[in-house]
Amino acid sequence: MDQMSTLKDEIFSLVLEAQSLIKQGKYSDASLIVVVEELWTLLPKNTRKPSGESLRSHHKDAKDIFTSTFYISFTEFLIRNFSDEWLQSDSDRSLRKFYFDFFLLGDSEDSLKILTNSIVTLKDGLSLYTSISLLESLLKQNCLRTILSDNCLLCSSKVSIDIFEGLSEKERNLIEQSNPMISAISSMPDIITPRLKSQCSSDFFFPQNYIQFVSLEVAEVLRIVYESLKQERNCSVGVLSALIAKLAMTGHGRLMWKTVLVELECILNTDCLWQRILQRIIAKIPDRCIEAVTMQLIFEVSSHNTLKAILGTLPATRERMRFIFTHKLLLVRCTEQTDALQNAIAYLAGVQSLWPAFAEAFEKLLSAWSDGASLRRRPLEQSTYLSKTVLIFIAHLQHEESLLTCDVKDTVQKTLLIGMASYLDSSVSEIRKMGMVVGESLSGLIHLNEIALKFDFEADDFVKSLQLLLRVRNDAISKSVDKDTKSKTSDHKSSILLEIVNPQNENTSKFDCGTVDGVSGRVSADEEVDSDDFDEDDLIPVASDSKSSKPGKHPIYLAECMEGLLSTDDPERYEKCLHHAERLIRKHPEVSEMAVELCKVLLHLDDHFSLPEFAILRQKAMVAVTVSSPETIAGYLTREFYGRNYSVCQRLDMLNVLSSAAKELSELESSEENRTSDVVSKQSLTNDTDWSRVIKMRLESKTRRFAKGRKRQPVAACNRFAKVAGWFFYPLMSHFDSKELSIDLLVCDHIVLEHLLRTLGVVMYCAFNIPNVSQMARTLLEFTWCFRCHAQPAVRQAVLAADFMAVLSVPPFLLMSDLCAETVELKEWLHDEVLLRDSDSNCKAFAAQILVALEDRMQKQVKDEDA
């Protein structure tokens, strides 16, 4: 401590002596040169040792003291007392050299701030032009790159780059400290350019040159961040977000994006880490700047793929950005650049999570386009812009049929009825032509197989330019969502959501897949049996479920099928074994002996040969194994769900299989037996040789009778799911909060948590009317209680779905007796917390639906008791 005080006193005495000599004007005095040279050796980037013994022996500590305590005040003193005589000497030990080095070898950020402030305060003269020249030299020495990279690289050793995570406290403090520096960097052209005179011939600070230079430095800093993340070092891009936002707000965003995209666009579309970095930067931009940044980005990107790589799915989670895409860009802006419009609309159409935003934007656009009062008052350019935008939307609706929902069709029909008359009645020929072109295109959307509207108009250059927008550009054609191979999780999630929202359709749509698969598999198995009664020309093709026409032997035994699935050198055998796996599993009763091994093979099976139906066939086979040995496989899957060395997709596959198997097991077998008996009776009818009996049976089937005795009483059927429901249900909730797991359901793996909750809801609904349904419902309500305030809206929706399934599964009289306390608490939470305080509109709507359903069940039970 005494040593540091001694060093500080010695440096302070040197500073005072140098200031005193400079104030006296003794610029040529040797003692001034010696003192300034001694201080010069204490600069951070200087490697030369001082001459003093104490300073030399503690050189590093002396540098730190001078930089932190005396550097800023001393350099400001030098600027205030600058003299023309300092520039007259070019020797190595002149004041001119030391003056320049005090800024070029000093702390980069402090030097930048000092020189920028001096340019603002100094009057026109040699001192001002020297400061401008020094600032230019400082920037060309990668000063800006050093400052930004130092602010981005943190000292932690773990990577943390969650796109949707907000600013941490450390990042906020860092940005607040960097605000003066960011303001100085972004405002330099506006400050310096007006003060440049003929004495300063450099054009470095002209906006076109300076912004391009800063953008290149930003690109280099992004590369440094990228390399640091690859080395698992923690990085903060908050300062870069603030700088980009400041440049955009000062009107330089387009030039900045143009320069950055030239450097990075070629790698953005292929490297997911680059995409996450850019998406994190955009996510951290404050709402007051997000419009300027996003708009300027849209007008500079060359492809919607680049827009997707930079923005990701941010419009789906950030309301301000969603408003920009659905309102500001379409209804407020007006530009002749259709490329920007095409990229923005193709981006909305190419990302499935943004399809609701696409539909919302199209609805708003059609409403504005068809408004007759607005049409009469807005300029022709604005009407042309709206019409071009509508045509671009139509092009994507024609290309991607999934976007053309019933609501969209209704909106199109209303637009045709309301808006066409205003356009056709206009006295401006361009407006009439726009109305005809757009009207024909809109009519073609809702009359695909009928006669659409057709107008007789001249196809001039204006009309051709409009019709050209109906073609989706090659770079805007998105890869359509493959329902068979995309993500097994998203399809399962949507199907469960439909079941939850429309529980009354449960009997008609819930088990269609399992019924058809089960019956068709058995019938085709029977049809495979060779028989001498058939002629060769009338044989039914074997394995009709297989799409392959390649010759080869079908697997007959399960062991042979498993061996074929494990073989990676025979694509034909692999495909045939996968196609016939489900049929063999359902056909052979001995599957229980190798059920776990077979399930393990299917769970770890990879799509080596890119089969079009790989995901569907594998899941059907796993469901068949689970249905054949429910207790064994359900125990295996629920145990492995919390096991190690499984990917997220594999865990989601396990949940999908469990829910599908639960649905199939909970279906009554009577309907299947009746359908099978019908098939057998038809086969026996074709083989019957008694023609009189045949005629009698045909007449009987076609005769309508008004009364035919007493109706058959319903036959009781066994619920196969009742005795195994616990194996599907309780183990899934046993280890969710264990610290020894390789997944973290409570923090980062919220997608898995969401699907877990929805799977528990499906299993709960399949357990309808089993003896212990009330106990299962109570357990599920207690399990979901701890996730009610989860940060992710999707998880909160899954909690509501699981609670809804618990309410629907329990008979009303049990809700009012065994589960009375839980039901009251659920109603209070839904009304007081979700409806009034939840920030997600979907959660609020779902909660209202649950409350209505719960109230209906209660009232129905009260009426039944009164009756």
Side-chain angles (χ1 to χ4, degrees):
M1 192 67 182
D2 295 338
Q3 182 64 40
M4 298 297 289
S5 300
T6 304
L7 289 174
K8 187 174 182 179
D9 294 339
E10 184 174 353
I11 296 172
F12 182 59
S13 63
L14 291 174
V15 171
L16 289 179
E17 183 178 357
Q19 291 178 348
S20 176
L21 292 173
I22 290 174
K23 286 181 179 179
Q24 296 174 14
K26 300 179 179 181
Y27 304 135
S28 58
D29 195 336
S31 59
L32 175 61
I33 301 298
V34 172
V35 173
V36 172
E37 184 177 13
E38 194 74 0
L39 293 175
W40 171 74
T41 59
L42 302 180
L43 294 174
K45 299 177 185 177
N46 197 350
T47 58
R48 186 171 173 180
K49 297 286 186 179
S51 59
E53 183 63 30
S54 60
L55 296 179
R56 177 188 292 272
S57 58
H58 302 87
H59 192 199
K60 184 177 179 181
D61 295 336
K63 278 187 174 183
D64 294 339
I65 293 174
F66 177 74
T67 303
S68 61
T69 308
F70 302 103
Y71 177 76
I72 295 178
S73 60
F74 185 69
T75 49
E76 289 177 345
F77 171 82
L78 291 178
I79 292 176
R80 289 194 304 269
N81 294 272
F82 177 82
S83 174
D84 301 348
E85 299 180 17
W86 296 2
L87 305 179
Q88 295 176 1
S89 176
D90 292 333
S91 65
D92 293 339
R93 300 182 71 247
S94 63
L95 284 179
R96 178 182 186 277
K97 177 183 182 303
F98 293 141
Y99 179 74
F100 278 62
D101 285 351
F102 267 106
F103 296 99
L104 299 180
L105 299 181
D107 181 77
S108 299
E109 188 169 350
D110 290 340
S111 300
L112 184 68
K113 293 178 182 177
I114 293 168
L115 289 173
T116 305
N117 293 333
S118 68
I119 293 172
V120 176
T121 57
L122 289 175
K123 298 180 179 180
D124 291 346
L126 188 58
S127 176
L128 172 65
Y129 304 136
T130 304
S131 297
I132 294 175
S133 177
L134 269 173
L135 182 58
E136 179 180 346
S137 301
L138 183 66
L139 291 173
K140 289 182 178 179
Q141 288 184 356
N142 299 328
C143 158
L144 189 57
R145 185 185 310 177
T146 303
I147 295 173
L148 294 177
S149 60
D150 289 345
N151 281 288
C152 290
L153 302 181
L154 303 179
C155 58
S156 301
S157 60
K158 296 294 182 183
V159 178
S160 174
I161 190 163
D162 184 6
I163 295 174
F164 304 108
E165 181 186 351
L167 288 172
S168 64
E169 190 67 27
K170 187 175 184 179
E171 288 177 313
R172 290 192 186 95
N173 296 333
L174 190 62
I175 293 175
E176 289 178 2
Q177 296 173 5
S178 305
N179 273 335
M181 182 262 298
I182 292 172
S183 299
I185 294 172
S186 58
S187 59
M188 278 186 194
D190 301 326
I191 296 174
I192 298 177
T193 304
R195 308 202 65 182
L196 293 176
K197 303 294 183 179
S198 58
Q199 293 89 337
C200 188
S201 59
S202 174
D203 60 352
F204 177 79
F205 290 102
F206 287 176
Q208 189 73 19
N209 299 328
Y210 176 76
I211 298 301
Q212 187 173 3
F213 169 79
V214 173
S215 303
L216 291 174
E217 293 294 284
V218 170
E220 291 301 322
V221 175
L222 287 174
R223 289 192 175 94
I224 295 173
V225 171
Y226 175 81
E227 294 298 330
S228 300
L229 290 175
K230 289 178 66 176
Q231 299 172 7
E232 297 188 356
R233 293 183 59 192
N234 196 7
C235 296
S236 169
V237 292
V239 174
L240 288 179
S241 298
L243 178 59
I244 291 174
K246 199 71 174 180
L247 291 174
M249 293 298 291
T250 54
H252 304 304
R254 293 192 64 172
L255 179 58
M256 182 270 300
W257 280 120
K258 181 179 180 180
T259 307
V260 171
L261 290 175
V262 168
E263 295 292 319
L264 303 178
E265 191 168 15
C266 58
I267 55 177
L268 267 179
N269 296 328
T270 57
D271 195 320
C272 61
L273 182 56
W274 271 110
Q275 295 175 9
R276 295 184 67 188
I277 294 173
L278 268 295
Q279 290 169 20
R280 182 63 185 269
I281 290 176
I282 300 298
K284 287 178 176 291
I285 293 176
D287 283 342
R288 67 180 183 275
C289 308
I290 193 64
E291 180 180 348
V293 175
T294 306
M295 282 292 189
Q296 293 164 3
L297 171 64
I298 291 173
F299 282 96
E300 286 302 324
V301 294
S302 59
S303 168
H304 84 288
N305 291 321
T306 305
L307 201 60
K308 177 182 177 182
I310 296 176
L311 299 182
T313 60
L314 285 176
T317 58
R318 193 164 181 178
E319 195 64 32
R320 184 65 180 174
M321 187 174 291
R322 183 188 182 101
F323 181 73
I324 292 171
F325 276 94
T326 59
H327 185 84
K328 278 293 187 72
L329 178 64
L330 307 179
L331 305 180
V332 179
R333 295 298 180 101
C334 180
T335 178
E336 296 181 357
Q337 297 181 7
T338 57
D339 290 345
L341 273 177
Q342 288 175 319
N343 288 333
I345 297 171
Y347 163 62
L348 295 179
V351 181
Q352 189 173 3
S353 59
L354 299 181
W355 285 0
F358 180 93
E360 178 186 349
F362 189 49
E363 183 178 353
K364 288 183 178 180
L365 182 64
L366 289 181
S367 177
W369 181 86
S370 60
D371 189 353
S374 176
L375 176 63
R376 290 189 293 270
R377 290 170 175 79
R378 65 184 176 228
L380 178 62
E381 292 78 9
Q382 183 73 26
S383 298
T384 305
Y385 177 79
L386 290 176
S387 299
K388 289 182 177 180
T389 310
V390 172
L391 292 173
I392 297 172
F393 270 93
I394 294 173
H396 287 280
L397 287 169
Q398 292 172 344
H399 181 262
E400 181 58 66
E401 296 181 358
S402 302
L403 294 169
L404 193 60
T405 61
C406 295
D407 293 338
V408 173
K409 290 183 179 180
D410 293 341
T411 305
V412 170
Q413 190 169 6
K414 293 177 183 178
T415 302
L416 286 173
L417 294 175
I418 299 173
M420 283 303 301
S422 302
Y423 281 84
L424 297 178
D425 292 342
S426 176
S427 59
V428 182
S429 61
E430 286 81 1
I431 292 181
R432 291 197 302 272
K433 291 177 181 178
M434 283 188 291
M436 293 177 189
V437 175
V438 175
E440 284 187 357
S441 305
L442 290 175
S443 178
L445 285 178
I446 59 177
H447 300 98
L448 298 178
N449 299 321
E450 304 173 16
I451 300 177
L453 287 176
K454 290 295 181 182
F455 296 98
D456 186 13
F457 53 85
E458 181 183 356
D460 54 10
D461 293 340
F462 178 70
V463 172
K464 290 179 181 178
S465 65
L466 293 177
Q467 292 175 339
L468 192 62
L469 297 175
L470 291 172
R471 302 176 185 175
V472 180
R473 297 188 308 175
N474 292 333
D475 61 336
I477 296 178
S478 307
K479 295 182 179 179
S480 59
V481 179
D482 190 350
K483 296 179 181 179
D484 296 338
T485 59
K486 183 178 166 54
S487 175
K488 298 143 270 198
T489 63
S490 61
D491 293 340
H492 180 56
K493 176 180 176 181
S494 60
S495 64
I496 294 179
L497 186 58
L498 286 175
E499 295 168 8
I500 293 171
V501 176
N502 300 313
Q504 66 272 16
N505 296 332
E506 201 68 25
N507 295 330
T508 59
S509 62
K510 180 179 174 184
F511 305 117
D512 288 347
C513 180
T515 302
V516 173
D517 292 340
V519 176
S520 63
R522 288 166 173 78
V523 172
S524 61
D526 293 336
E527 291 172 352
E528 273 189 39
V529 180
D530 295 334
S531 174
D532 296 332
D533 297 334
F534 290 94
D535 184 51
E536 278 188 356
D537 296 335
D538 298 329
L539 286 177
I540 299 174
V542 177
S544 58
D545 58 335
S546 177
K547 303 293 183 183
S548 176
S549 60
K550 299 178 181 179
K553 185 178 179 181
H554 300 158
I556 299 176
Y557 303 104
L558 280 174
E560 183 183 359
C561 182
M562 290 176 57
E563 183 181 354
L565 292 175
L566 294 174
S567 64
T568 58
D569 55 348
D570 191 350
E572 180 181 350
R573 183 186 180 192
Y574 180 90
E575 182 177 1
K576 287 185 178 298
C577 290
L578 185 60
H579 274 287
H580 290 271
E582 181 195 6
R583 177 184 59 81
L584 289 175
I585 293 169
R586 297 186 184 275
K587 179 181 177 182
H588 289 76
E590 67 275 10
V591 68
S592 57
E593 301 176 2
M594 56 180 69
V596 174
E597 183 180 357
L598 182 57
C599 185
K600 188 182 299 184
V601 170
L602 291 169
L603 180 61
H604 294 84
L605 198 62
D606 291 328
D607 189 9
H608 298 291
F609 308 107
S610 301
L611 301 180
E613 297 182 349
F614 172 81
I616 292 179
L617 294 173
R618 187 183 69 150
Q619 182 170 350
K620 286 183 177 180
M622 293 179 67
V623 171
V625 175
T626 309
V627 171
S628 301
S629 302
E631 184 175 331
T632 304
I633 300 303
Y636 169 76
L637 291 178
T638 53
R639 183 174 61 255
E640 293 300 311
F641 175 76
Y642 291 107
R644 296 181 178 273
N645 302 324
Y646 283 103
S647 65
V648 172
C649 289
Q650 286 177 317
R651 299 182 198 275
L652 297 181
D653 286 343
M654 297 178 196
L655 295 176
N656 291 342
V657 171
L658 288 172
S659 59
S660 300
K663 289 189 288 186
E664 184 173 343
L665 287 170
S666 62
E667 182 187 10
L668 298 181
E669 292 182 306
S670 58
S671 59
E672 181 180 332
E673 293 174 356
N674 292 338
R675 285 190 292 269
T676 307
S677 63
D678 292 341
V679 174
V680 174
S681 64
K682 290 180 180 180
Q683 291 179 350
S684 62
L685 182 62
T686 58
N687 297 329
D688 201 334
T689 57
D690 188 355
W691 61 269
S692 60
R693 184 182 176 188
V694 172
I695 294 175
K696 183 178 179 181
M697 293 182 66
R698 287 181 179 177
L699 290 174
E700 186 71 20
S701 63
K702 295 180 179 295
T703 302
R704 182 181 180 187
R705 302 181 184 277
F706 295 98
K708 195 177 180 181
R710 299 173 60 184
K711 294 183 179 180
R712 293 178 58 188
Q713 295 296 326
V715 180
C718 177
N719 186 352
R720 295 179 294 168
F721 189 63
K723 59 182 180 181
V724 296
W727 292 94
F728 286 74
F729 189 72
Y730 295 107
L732 283 178
M733 298 182 285
S734 57
H735 302 292
F736 76 97
D737 57 347
S738 176
K739 297 182 179 180
E740 299 179 357
L741 300 179
S742 58
I743 57 172
D744 191 355
L745 295 177
L746 301 179
V747 181
C748 56
D749 294 319
H750 57 85
I751 295 179
V752 182
L753 176 60
E754 175 195 351
H755 283 75
L756 172 62
L757 292 170
R758 294 188 180 276
T759 301
L760 289 170
V762 173
V763 174
M764 183 74 243
Y765 190 77
C766 294
F768 185 82
N769 278 339
I770 70 173
N772 60 338
V773 65
S774 59
Q775 179 61 35
M776 291 178 64
R778 180 181 290 108
T779 304
L780 182 57
L781 290 173
E782 292 176 356
F783 178 73
T784 58
W785 189 88
C786 59
F787 304 114
R788 289 180 175 180
C789 299
H790 199 279
Q792 294 294 331
V795 175
R796 299 200 299 273
Q797 293 176 23
V799 170
L800 290 170
D803 291 344
F804 195 12
M805 292 296 99
V807 170
L808 292 179
S809 304
V810 180
F813 71 91
L814 290 178
L815 285 177
M816 300 181 66
S817 57
D818 293 356
L819 299 177
C820 181
E822 288 80 359
T823 305
V824 172
E825 191 274 337
L826 178 62
K827 291 177 65 176
E828 292 178 354
W829 170 66
L830 291 173
H831 184 272
D832 298 340
E833 298 295 332
V834 183
L835 284 179
L836 300 180
R837 300 181 183 179
D838 201 296
S839 59
D840 186 65
S841 58
N842 293 329
C843 291
K844 292 182 178 180
F846 207 166
Q849 184 180 358
I850 298 174
L851 284 172
V852 171
L854 192 58
E855 190 67 26
D856 290 343
R857 302 198 79 196
M858 294 296 185
Q859 292 179 359
K860 183 179 179 181
Q861 178 62 23
V862 171
K863 290 180 181 179
D864 292 342
E865 290 178 355
D866 294 340

